[in-house]
Amino acid sequence: MKNKFSLHPATCFLLLFLLTALLSWAGSIYEWEGVRSLLSDEGLRWLLRTLLDDYILSPVFQAVVCLFFGVGLFVHSGLGNACRRIADGTRKFSRKEKRALGLAAMTFLGYVALCALLAFGPWNLVRSAIGTLAGSPLADGLWGVCSLGIALPAIVYGFASDSYLSDRDVVEGMAYFYKCRGTYFVVLLFITLFFSSLDFSGLTHYAGVPDEVCRGAYLLCCLFFLL
């Protein structure tokens, strides 16, 4: 009975969007200051023009797409389980696992050292035109850099521990989190739809809710349902 009547998070945010649409329609009728109706010609045009852009261009979507590659490899290769065992105080590792962990650790440290050298070294390869990290190519590609930093040690661990035998295993690892958490992208679509509709309708401004609070709530929802 519990499973029968429980709603999926995607459905909950769809219902919240519909509630926002009704409230915005009522607000436009009663002339609430700054409120625009989603159930209007203007609202329909906004929905058609911006929904996919708001979704695909959202920083959360881009970050998750990048990180899923690295995190998938981290879990699929067995490195995640090995790190968990270390955190739990388990010291019983085979010689091959110890060697694989050592190689993965050296790979990670080498990657971090390379990134630090590129960021703060004498070369201006990944910094901005004025030599700062703000607005630099490194900052723009931060999520990709982080994902690669997770993926490389995982690949090294996978081959060193024989959990990976060919490039097909690496590809499977990159796709692993998309298989396990694929529904998250559906939930994210409706989270984005709900918060974008709030912004367009002007209901949050009418209620006196600051934009910073809305952005924080959006990020909190995205993170909560990802975990």
Side-chain angles (χ1 to χ4, degrees):
M1 293 293 290
K2 181 180 179 181
N3 292 333
K4 184 177 180 179
F5 291 102
S6 61
L7 292 176
H8 193 279
T11 306
C12 293
F13 281 100
L14 175 60
L15 293 176
L16 287 173
F17 164 72
L18 296 176
L19 177 62
T20 302
L22 291 175
L23 286 175
S24 67
W25 173 72
S28 65
I29 292 177
Y30 290 101
E31 298 182 350
W32 294 349
E33 184 178 355
V35 173
R36 294 183 292 181
S37 175
L38 289 163
L39 303 178
S40 63
D41 296 344
E42 182 185 12
L44 179 59
R45 288 193 294 269
W46 165 81
L47 186 63
L48 293 174
R49 287 174 176 170
T50 65
L51 175 58
L52 286 180
D53 287 342
D54 288 344
Y55 176 55
I56 296 175
L57 298 179
S58 69
V60 174
F61 178 86
Q62 297 177 15
V64 169
V65 167
C66 287
L67 290 176
F68 266 29
F69 291 119
V71 176
L73 283 165
F74 181 75
V75 175
H76 185 262
S77 67
L79 181 57
N81 181 55
C83 292
R84 181 186 60 80
R85 290 162 62 192
I86 293 174
D88 291 341
T90 302
R91 303 301 179 188
K92 295 181 179 179
F93 291 96
S94 66
R95 180 177 298 179
K96 183 177 292 186
E97 287 177 323
K98 291 180 180 178
R99 177 174 173 270
L101 281 170
L103 290 173
M106 287 190 293
T107 302
F108 177 73
L109 292 176
Y111 181 79
V112 171
L114 177 62
C115 291
L117 184 63
L118 290 174
F120 304 106
W123 309 284
N124 194 23
L125 297 177
V126 295
R127 295 194 294 268
S128 65
I130 58 175
T132 63
L133 292 178
S136 66
L138 182 62
D140 292 339
L142 179 61
W143 294 118
V145 172
C146 292
S147 184
L148 185 59
I150 300 171
L152 287 178
I155 294 173
V156 170
Y157 178 87
F159 281 108
S161 64
D162 289 340
S163 60
Y164 283 173
L165 301 177
S166 69
D167 60 320
R168 291 181 179 273
D169 297 321
V170 176
V171 174
E172 285 294 321
M174 295 178 69
Y176 178 75
F177 239 58
Y178 290 95
K179 296 178 182 177
C180 297
R181 297 287 187 271
T183 55
Y184 174 74
F185 290 98
V186 180
V187 177
L188 181 60
L189 171 64
F190 288 103
I191 291 175
T192 303
L193 175 63
F194 168 60
F195 280 95
S196 296
S197 66
L198 280 179
D199 181 63
F200 171 82
S201 65
L203 288 172
T204 53
H205 294 285
Y206 178 77
V209 180
D211 291 338
E212 293 77 11
V213 174
C214 293
R215 285 194 292 268
Y218 171 71
L219 293 175
L220 183 63
C221 288
C222 293
L223 180 61
F224 177 79
F225 289 105
L226 176 63
L227 298 177

